[in-house]
Amino acid sequence: AIEVQMSDENKADKGGPADKRCMMEARMNGQAPIAVTHFAADQDIAFRGAADKLMRAIEHAIGKLDRREHRDRETIRKDVD
C-alpha cells in the first residue's frame, strides 16, 4: 500500500520556489514503512520527485533483503587445516 500526502507549505497567498510538498509512504508486508518527501514549485514536480525517491528507496530496501537472504546460505568454502 502507498499513501500520498500533498501540502502547500507556505499556503497559497505566499508562493515560493519550493513550497509544494509531497510525502509518500509505502508499506510492504513484513517490512518497516518507507517514507520519502519532495519539495518543488508545483504539485506535479513534487509528486514526480517523491515517486522517483520512493522507487529508489524501495529498490534499495529490496536489494538489502536479497543480500541478507544470500548471507543465510551455507558457504561452499572449507577451512583448510
Side-chain angles (χ1 to χ4, degrees), residues 2-62:
I2 296 176
E3 182 177 325
V4 179
Q5 294 179 358
M6 301 291 293
S7 64
D8 186 345
E9 295 297 291
N10 295 331
K11 308 298 177 224
D13 58 329
K14 290 186 180 180
D19 67 338
K20 304 296 189 261
R21 178 182 71 96
C22 180
M23 189 284 298
M24 293 185 175
E25 182 178 83
R27 295 186 190 107
M28 298 185 294
N29 290 337
Q31 303 300 316
I34 299 171
V36 297
T37 302
H38 190 79
F39 293 90
D42 66 48
Q43 288 183 345
D44 183 52
I45 296 171
F47 181 86
R48 290 174 190 269
D52 288 343
K53 285 182 181 180
L54 185 60
M55 189 169 48
R56 284 193 307 274
I58 290 171
E59 288 171 349
H60 180 75
I62 290 171

